Amino acid sequence: MLTERMKKWRHAFKLDPNRALSDAALERIGLSGTDVVIVGGTDGITYENSQRLIERVAAYPVTCVQEVSRVDAVVPGVDGYLLPIVLNTDDIRWIVGNQQQAVKAFGDWIPWDETAALGYLVLNPDSRVARLTRSRTDLSPQDVTAFARLAEHLFQLPALYMEYSGTLGDPKLVAAAKKGAERLPLFYGGGIGGPGDVRQMAALADTVVVGNLAHLNVDAALATVEAVKGTVRGG
Ligand code: 1GP
């Protein structure tokens, strides 16, 4: 079950099908020892570029899952599918609309054991994803703790994702999410620039997602894998 395997992830690379990544860099990422490669992005995602990147990742012994943000870009045969549910959006389509469209399109073939929802809190107001999803980003620590409790107890989601795409997040808000997410796995992603950032967030969150850095500086990106593994949660 994907939801069980997700609980063991400490480090993830998120690769964007719409951005360049050399074969040499991808090989190092594929062999890096990361727990999972998530394929997904916000802009310019198509079936063709998603399929191409997923096929390239499949050459390496690493779990590869697709984050489904567009129903027309779903690639069959991936190790798993993550469906975002944006908890702080003002647009109902990001809570239940897009997912319903995906199930309508693929309902007969969906491998449910390998499909999981990810509850998102989108928190960087300047990010493309915040604008696209019309997220309310001005959340207090109390708001974040309440969202995390909602995700864990009421919605019973498999994980909560603190999404700071493009900027390093506020550790106080990440800690507020952890306060609410007692058993719920907590993902953190956004602005990780190297081992120092990753250690800070890996002490607070269960899984740290490294995106941009993998495309920009593969040496620094690789250093984050060891840094996460050497960091104790809550330490
Ligand atoms: C994006 O949270 C991920 O969805 C990672 O963010 O690209 O800023 O590392 P960055």
Side-chain angles (χ1 to χ4, degrees), residues 14 161 163 165-167 189-192 209-212:
K14 185 144 148 191
Y161 192 133
E163 173 61 287
S165 182
T167 192
I192 297 290
V209 181
V210 177
N212 203 22

Side-chain angles (χ1 to χ4, degrees), residues 195-209:
D197 298 336
V198 96
R199 275 190 210 103
Q200 182 183 30
M201 292 306 174
L204 299 168
D206 300 297
T207 308
V208 181
V209 181

Side-chain angles (χ1 to χ4, degrees), residues 86-207:
V86 182
L87 299 171
N88 60 328
T89 181
D90 274 340
D91 182 345
I92 187 74
R93 288 174 303 171
W94 289 97
I95 297 177
V96 75
N98 295 339
Q99 304 82 352
Q100 188 263 355
Q101 289 298 307
V103 174
K104 189 176 168 191
F106 300 109
D108 289 341
W109 304 291
I110 295 174
W112 286 110
D113 284 354
E114 303 307 329
T115 301
L118 260 188
Y120 270 72
L121 287 178
V122 176
L123 293 156
N124 174 9
D126 299 323
S127 64
R128 174 86 180 101
V129 62
R131 286 194 294 273
L132 178 72
T133 60
R134 285 179 30 208
S135 290
R136 284 176 288 111
T137 57
D138 56 339
L139 301 182
S140 67
Q142 292 78 10
D143 286 324
V144 169
T145 302
F147 270 124
R149 287 180 171 147
L150 196 73
E152 176 165 328
H153 297 288
L154 206 59
F155 291 165
Q156 303 193 1
L157 290 169
L160 177 68
Y161 192 133
M162 295 288 280
E163 173 61 287
Y164 277 95
S165 182
T167 192
L168 197 62
D170 178 350
K172 285 198 289 298
L173 285 192
V174 183
K178 192 65 213 167
K179 183 178 170 194
E182 285 176 48
R183 288 189 307 276
L184 180 70
L186 181 66
F187 285 43
Y188 170 85
I192 297 290
D197 298 336
V198 96
R199 275 190 210 103
Q200 182 183 30
M201 292 306 174
L204 299 168
D206 300 297
T207 308

